[in-house]
Amino acid sequence: MRSDPATSAAPLRGLGGPLRSSEPVRSSPAPSAAALLLEEAADLLVVHLDFPAALRTCERAWQGLAEEPAGASLEVKCSLCVVGIQALAEMDRWQEVLSWVLQYYQIPEKLPPKVLELCVLLYSKMQEPEAMLDAVSAWLRDPDNQGLPEYRTLAELHLQRVLFPLGCLSEAEELVVGSAAFSEEQRLEALQAISVARQQQKHRHSGSEEAQKFNQEGPSTHKFLSLLTLLRQLWDSAVSHFFSLPFRRSFLAALLLCLLVVRFDPASPHSLPFLYKLAQIFHRIREAVSSLCQLPIHD
């Protein structure tokens, strides 16, 4: 029994109609070993949550890619980096991310835009934007990268997540003015933001200088004020105690205080006028107090 040619060619209609005997059979290329390892790594990362195994699988795939041409499987390489970065972050080894991707791309200028963006977001989230400063600056300065459609996105990300948080305002201004990726409106907005940030930076700097000056002068001033407060307390205590004593005891206490403070010799002829005046003062105080006590009290 002979088979119908139309029936035998039906499964291949999607490839361009019935095949003639002279046409070779066309089939999709088999996935490379690196692509298969990429699928395995993604499965380990997302489904099994086995982050160490996912990272090891990515590294095995990179070893296989080293034998292929430099321009082959660019998308696979980028995807391997994304999976590896996620695995390192999940293992709390995010500090190793930049060095891990650079061991395969050697220099920052060759990093894929997606990989570089992911690194910037990761280090910015972990509040370590300084780690990406040199890498992103080198990538943006490379002429081959300035024509990429992702260039403006990375330049804006560099401004917002790296330069502004680090206070690198001169570098930010240089990037905005010297880059053709920004439109005129975006350039004006960025320059205005840089101006505001510079004023805030100057204000913080002046405030820190005043605080530092206050901290330097603070201890001596505080000690002086504490000494004055102590002396005042001692004086108030001495005065209150002095007026609570009888007259003779008060006179004796004043005399002893003069001996201690002024350090004069009571036996010296030069001390007699002073002692005489002191006795007169106390005598007048005593008479005044006595007269006040004898005054009649009217209801």
Side-chain angles (χ1 to χ4, degrees):
M1 180 178 178
R2 296 177 60 185
S3 61
D4 187 1
T7 303
S8 61
L12 301 177
R13 291 183 186 276
L15 296 177
L19 293 176
R20 299 185 179 89
S21 58
S22 60
E23 292 181 359
V25 177
R26 292 176 294 176
S27 61
S28 59
S32 63
L36 294 175
L37 288 174
L38 171 62
E39 293 181 5
E40 180 182 349
D43 187 65
L44 290 169
L45 177 71
V46 177
V47 179
H48 301 284
L49 303 179
D50 192 347
F51 310 123
L55 183 63
R56 289 193 300 268
T57 305
C58 290
E59 292 172 346
R60 283 169 48 204
W62 269 105
Q63 293 176 359
L65 287 172
E67 302 174 357
E68 297 185 8
S73 305
L74 294 178
E75 189 66 27
V76 174
K77 293 179 180 179
C78 180
S79 300
L80 286 171
C81 283
V82 172
V83 175
I85 290 171
Q86 184 66 27
L88 286 170
E90 294 289 349
M91 292 186 292
D92 200 20
R93 293 169 55 186
W94 57 269
Q95 300 94 334
E96 307 173 25
V97 164
L98 184 60
S99 60
W100 186 80
V101 296
L102 285 178
Q103 71 178 333
Y104 300 115
Y105 287 96
Q106 284 76 45
I107 56 176
E109 292 86 341
K110 301 302 180 184
L111 288 175
K114 185 64 176 179
V115 173
L116 188 62
E117 179 182 357
L118 192 59
C119 291
V120 172
L121 293 174
L122 175 62
Y123 280 91
S124 175
K125 181 180 179 181
M126 303 309 297
Q127 299 182 355
E128 290 290 341
E130 189 175 2
M132 295 300 303
L133 179 61
D134 294 336
V136 184
S137 299
W139 193 93
L140 293 173
R141 286 194 300 266
D142 188 82
D144 295 337
N145 297 328
Q146 294 179 1
L148 297 176
E150 300 90 349
Y151 182 86
R152 188 178 70 181
T153 302
L154 281 169
E156 293 176 352
L157 194 66
H158 188 47
L159 283 174
Q160 298 171 2
R161 299 298 185 96
V162 180
L163 295 180
F164 280 169
L166 294 177
C168 301
L169 303 182
S170 299
E171 292 82 351
E173 188 174 11
E174 181 181 355
L175 174 62
V176 172
V177 174
S179 175
F182 297 96
S183 64
E184 189 64 27
E185 183 179 357
Q186 291 174 334
R187 185 176 289 105
L188 291 176
E189 291 179 358
L191 291 176
Q192 185 178 3
I194 292 171
S195 177
V196 172
R198 185 172 282 120
Q199 292 177 0
Q200 294 175 351
Q201 188 181 61
K202 187 181 299 183
H203 180 71
R204 288 193 300 266
H205 182 66
S206 61
S208 63
E209 286 183 348
E210 292 178 359
Q212 184 177 5
K213 184 178 179 181
F214 177 79
N215 291 333
Q216 290 175 353
E217 296 179 354
S220 60
T221 306
H222 181 70
K223 289 180 180 178
F224 180 70
L225 293 176
S226 300
L227 180 60
L228 289 179
T229 304
L230 179 61
L231 290 175
R232 182 178 179 180
Q233 292 175 354
L234 291 175
W235 173 255
D236 293 340
S237 176
V239 170
S240 61
H241 183 67
F242 170 77
F243 282 104
S244 66
L245 294 175
F247 176 75
R248 291 182 180 180
R249 291 184 180 180
S250 302
F251 181 78
L252 180 60
L255 180 60
L256 292 176
L257 182 63
C258 292
L259 291 176
L260 292 174
V261 176
V262 184
R263 295 183 180 180
F264 68 93
D265 185 4
S268 176
H270 301 287
S271 304
L272 293 178
F274 177 79
L275 293 176
Y276 178 72
K277 290 181 180 180
L278 186 62
Q280 285 183 337
I281 291 173
F282 274 90
H283 183 68
R284 291 176 183 175
I285 293 174
R286 183 179 182 182
E287 289 180 351
V289 172
S290 298
S291 61
L292 288 174
C293 293
Q294 293 175 0
L295 289 174
I297 302 175
H298 301 281
D299 293 336

